[in-house]
Amino acid sequence: MRAARALTTLDGVGSGDHVYWMADTGPGLFVGLEPFAADGALFGDRLVIVGSPGLLAEVKRLRAVPASTVMINAWETAGPLASAVEHEMRRAKDAGFHSARVLACREPGTHGRTELLDSELGLDEVAARSGATVVCAYLPGPWNGAELEQIMCVHPQTLGSRPGLPGFHMFRSGSKGWKVTGVIDSDGAHAFGSVLRAAVLHTPAVRLCFGEVDLIDAAGMRALVDAALHLPDRSVVIEGANRLVRMSWELSGFAVPEVPVEVLG
């Protein structure tokens, strides 16, 4: 069962985890990589590292990186990164490895906001479906704060307790749709709307499990409605909503046929 949680080190990652890590460049990143690679070797996982050519060249010089490691040049990857990772997952299993352990190094200025969020949603789906361990290391630089908030929301796990953690998380829950946890209020409404809009781009009917959502306020509900109406012929089904969420939805005036959102208990 995938669950949102904060980690203090990479030692705590497991199968199916998708981790957000604001990493240090140079020694900080490489120090974190060594136990990550060692644990992968212990469990029979193939290490897959995604990054720029310069970063991959530095990684290759590390003693901790096994000879079987696959390097993916992020600048030359054709098609979605998630597809490339899934391809390496299949190759790893064909070669006798238990699974794949992926470190995706994200550098500022290499992706547009929409492209990056879409990529992270794809990686989360790969991790949930295949059981691969995916750690996304965001290297320091001029990141946009709102952009990072959206990115953190779609990672079930975050490395360390950071003051900027979002109030909610939204991530894949097997084949049943997306699991949402926490509180969706005015502080997180914009991020929630952006994540949901990215999801409906690929899925005509989005299913959200609200079993661990404590509250969604007016701003959060407005973001939900706008995302559902963003494209034609889209619908959102919310399952497991608690009594407070269901009452708030009905009192908001959104429980009408014109709004393609169904809220169920």
Side-chain angles (χ1 to χ4, degrees), residues 20-175:
Y20 168 91
W21 176 27
M22 178 55 80
D24 295 328
T25 52
L29 175 64
F30 300 143
V31 167
L33 173 59
E34 291 188 9
F36 184 67
D39 284 349
L42 181 64
F43 289 106
D45 296 339
R46 167 172 273 175
L47 183 62
V48 178
I49 301 178
V50 182
S52 65
L55 184 63
L56 294 180
E58 292 186 63
V59 170
K60 287 179 181 178
R61 292 195 290 267
L62 297 178
R63 291 183 179 180
V65 176
S68 61
T69 299
V70 172
M71 304 285 183
I72 298 179
N73 185 339
W75 293 6
E76 297 180 352
T77 302
L81 177 58
S83 297
V85 168
E86 194 163 31
H87 173 70
E88 292 302 334
M89 178 73 182
R90 291 193 296 268
R91 288 186 59 207
K93 290 195 171 183
D94 289 344
F97 289 91
H98 171 261
S99 185
R101 182 166 286 231
V102 182
L103 178 68
C105 300
R106 303 293 203 174
E107 299 175 73
T110 56
H111 302 277
R113 182 182 303 186
T114 302
E115 177 191 359
L116 187 57
L117 182 57
D118 184 69
S119 175
E120 290 291 8
L121 288 171
L123 287 176
D124 191 61
E125 187 165 359
V126 170
R129 185 173 61 248
S130 70
T133 300
V134 181
V135 174
C136 298
Y138 279 75
L139 305 184
W143 293 101
N144 178 279
E147 180 179 37
L148 287 184
E149 182 185 17
Q150 293 169 21
I151 296 304
M152 282 189 282
C153 290
V154 298
H155 288 78
Q157 295 82 30
T158 54
L159 181 55
S161 299
R162 302 186 60 80
L165 286 177
F168 78 95
H169 288 270
M170 177 175 154
F171 51 90
R172 272 290 184 184
S173 180
S175 61

